[in-house]
Amino acid sequence: RVFIATSLDGFISRLDRDIEWLTYPPHNDRHAPPTGSHSAATEYEQHLASVDHIILGRKTFETAVSFPEWPEPDHEVLVLSRAVTISDPRVTVVRSIDGALAKLDQAGAKSVYVDGGDVIQQFLIRGLIDEITITRAPVLLGPQLSIL
């Protein structure tokens, strides 16, 4: 499963990998407050509750560890990295998609959240993604990093 947000023009982060436009959108007093009880945050929480494992690319992992709190405390997290050694007890590093699949099979994974542009592409190429949720944020980023 993939759950990802993009700007209106289809980008997932700025070229410098900044996602503040998504995590801390600017406040505007001229805008009306959100209406209804349905929000992207609620959808994301429901998505996380529906998965038992998470696979992150190295760059996405590096973004996650920069947050004030570890965003995935209740899940087993695999980080896909061909070269970098990560010494973090919250994650298991795997070197390849095949290595990740073997770990997931060994753990009896039923539902896996795949995150990170490069990792999502690799899983799509192999036909391993069966569900994608794309949320559009009301912002235009211009030429930045796209999901595909």
Side-chain angles (χ1 to χ4, degrees):
R1 294 179 172 172
V2 172
F3 190 101
I4 197 159
T6 70
S7 61
L8 284 174
D9 47 356
F11 298 104
I12 61 172
S13 78
R14 297 189 188 281
L15 292 174
D16 63 2
R17 308 251 178 246
D18 175 63
I19 60 167
E20 192 169 282
W21 59 272
L22 177 63
T23 55
Y24 300 102
H27 177 73
N28 188 329
D29 289 329
R30 296 180 303 186
H31 291 179
T35 58
S37 61
H38 191 71
S39 72
T42 301
E43 281 185 44
Y44 182 71
E45 290 166 6
Q46 291 171 345
H47 171 74
L48 277 182
S50 73
V51 301
D52 50 32
H53 287 74
I54 299 171
I55 297 180
L56 303 175
R58 179 192 48 84
K59 292 176 244 175
T60 302
F61 168 74
E62 289 172 353
T63 299
V65 296
S66 73
F67 296 152
E69 293 181 21
W70 178 242
E72 319 299 351
D74 301 323
H75 293 87
E76 178 152 349
V77 178
L78 302 179
V79 176
L80 189 60
S81 176
R82 288 180 286 261
V84 176
T85 300
I86 298 168
S87 181
D88 189 315
R90 299 171 293 194
V91 302
T92 300
V93 176
V94 291
R95 300 288 179 206
S96 66
I97 298 288
D98 290 334
L101 295 175
K103 283 267 189 206
L104 293 169
D105 285 343
Q106 186 178 42
K110 302 282 187 236
S111 183
V112 179
Y113 170 26
V114 179
D115 197 9
D118 293 339
V119 176
I120 291 169
Q121 289 179 41
Q122 291 177 50
F123 272 69
L124 282 168
I125 288 167
R126 288 180 170 228
L128 297 171
I129 301 293
D130 59 6
E131 183 179 318
I132 299 177
T133 301
I134 301 174
T135 301
R136 297 261 184 191
V139 63
L140 296 171
L141 294 180
Q144 304 296 326
L145 296 176
S146 74
I147 188 172
L148 300 174

